[in-house]
Amino acid sequence: MHPMQELSPGLVIQGVQPPLNLKDFKLIAFDMDSTLINIECVDEIADAAGRKEEVAAITEAAMRGEIADYKASLRQRVALLRGVTIADMEMVYTQRLQLNPGAEQLVAACKAAGLKVLLVSGGFTFFTDRIRDRLGIDYTRSNVLEVESGPNCGQLTGRMVDQPWGDICDGAEKRKMLLETCAALGISPKQAIAMGDGANDLPMMYEAGLSVAYHAKPAVREKAMVAINSGGLDRLLEVVR
């Protein structure tokens, strides 16, 4: 194990000796909220229901690893979104959501080097599908918000819809999806890079050959091989070229 060292201001490495070669990897897996994008979507949707503070406090505790049952915490937050409309979510996407600095550059560099790109999120398909299309991402896994039919058509019910693979994309599901994608590609998880910022990203980060924390919670920064604490996502290219 190499000791922790600051490669340059705001870029810390431990357990790896750069420069690594991007072509040695075959897959990069990203978390979405606060990693690829600048917001926590669930918190911003809650703002439309006047419940942002309440929801954001639960999100923060979950990301810090202070809530043992992530699924229960997400169900609790989604229940508070009941009555929010699709139009409200569209507004979050168009007015509040931005790609984090360096997102497009890093994804483009990975694709140019032949890597497949996976987006695994505890967030929602309403946003992950758009980010997938915007960045040309190969695979995604995230949660589906249930929408009312009938008189309240277009409003959220406060529940999520079960999917063929399971009910909620939590840390265990992120890990499973990373491993399944590696198996489908015929590669070892050690040929994967995993990037995230919250405690629910750690299970997939432990499996990957290179784990990267991006402006992450303390527990995640400490355990990652690379921690980007300032600057954009493309700072990873200072370590993996």
Side-chain angles (χ1 to χ4, degrees):
M1 186 77 171
H2 301 281
M4 189 180 286
Q5 66 177 98
E6 191 160 34
L7 199 59
S8 60
L11 186 65
V12 176
I13 60 167
Q14 58 179 341
V16 287
Q17 198 55 47
L20 304 173
N21 192 336
L22 203 50
K23 289 192 187 322
D24 290 339
F25 296 94
K26 303 295 178 198
L27 177 72
I28 185 162
F30 291 99
D31 165 54
M32 181 176 70
D33 296 72
S34 299
T35 302
L36 261 189
I37 65 172
N38 64 324
I39 58 170
E40 292 287 336
C41 290
V42 69
D43 298 356
E44 300 305 322
I45 301 168
D47 200 18
R51 291 174 167 152
K52 182 172 179 178
E53 210 170 303
E54 193 179 346
V55 169
I58 303 169
T59 301
E60 176 68 14
M63 291 304 107
R64 293 180 76 89
E66 292 159 6
I67 293 177
D69 190 340
Y70 178 86
K71 288 188 178 186
S73 88
L74 188 59
R75 286 195 186 97
Q76 185 185 358
R77 284 175 282 163
V78 169
L80 295 168
L81 306 181
R82 186 175 179 181
V84 171
T85 66
I86 296 295
D88 291 327
M89 296 209 297
E90 195 66 55
M91 195 184 73
V92 170
Y93 181 74
T94 56
Q95 296 182 17
R96 300 193 182 181
L97 184 153
Q98 293 174 359
L99 293 172
N100 268 329
E104 288 169 298
Q105 293 88 331
L106 178 57
V107 170
C110 288
K111 292 176 72 156
L115 282 75
K116 294 290 186 186
V117 184
L118 166 65
L119 177 57
V120 273
S121 174
F124 312 112
T125 51
F126 184 89
F127 300 100
T128 55
D129 287 356
R130 286 164 165 77
I131 297 301
R132 173 198 66 203
D133 296 347
R134 198 157 149 186
L135 291 174
I137 288 169
D138 300 289
Y139 314 101
T140 63
R141 181 151 294 180
S142 59
N143 302 305
V144 178
L145 290 167
E146 188 179 63
V147 179
E148 296 270 13
S149 51
N152 295 324
C153 183
Q155 292 185 8
L156 299 182
T157 65
R159 294 186 296 269
M160 285 168 284
V161 180
D162 286 357
Q163 297 180 74
W165 48 261
D167 56 354
I168 287 175
C169 185
D170 61 352
E173 187 59 41
K174 288 187 178 199
R175 173 183 176 273
K176 181 165 150 266
M177 182 60 177
L178 177 82
L179 295 175
E180 281 178 7
T181 306
C182 288
L185 292 171
I187 65 169
S188 156
K190 298 304 165 206
Q191 292 172 287
I193 301 169
M195 287 189 87
D197 73 299
N200 61 328
D201 297 315
L202 285 170
M204 72 166 178
M205 289 169 70
Y206 288 143
E207 296 292 345
L210 185 65
S211 56
V212 185
Y214 181 72
H215 294 256
K217 304 302 178 196
V220 183
R221 278 203 307 267
E222 286 160 18
K223 295 180 175 73
M225 295 175 190
V226 178
I228 300 169
N229 300 325
S230 65
L233 287 154
D234 55 341
R235 292 205 69 189
L236 179 59
L237 300 173
E238 295 175 38
V239 181
V240 190
R241 302 201 178 100

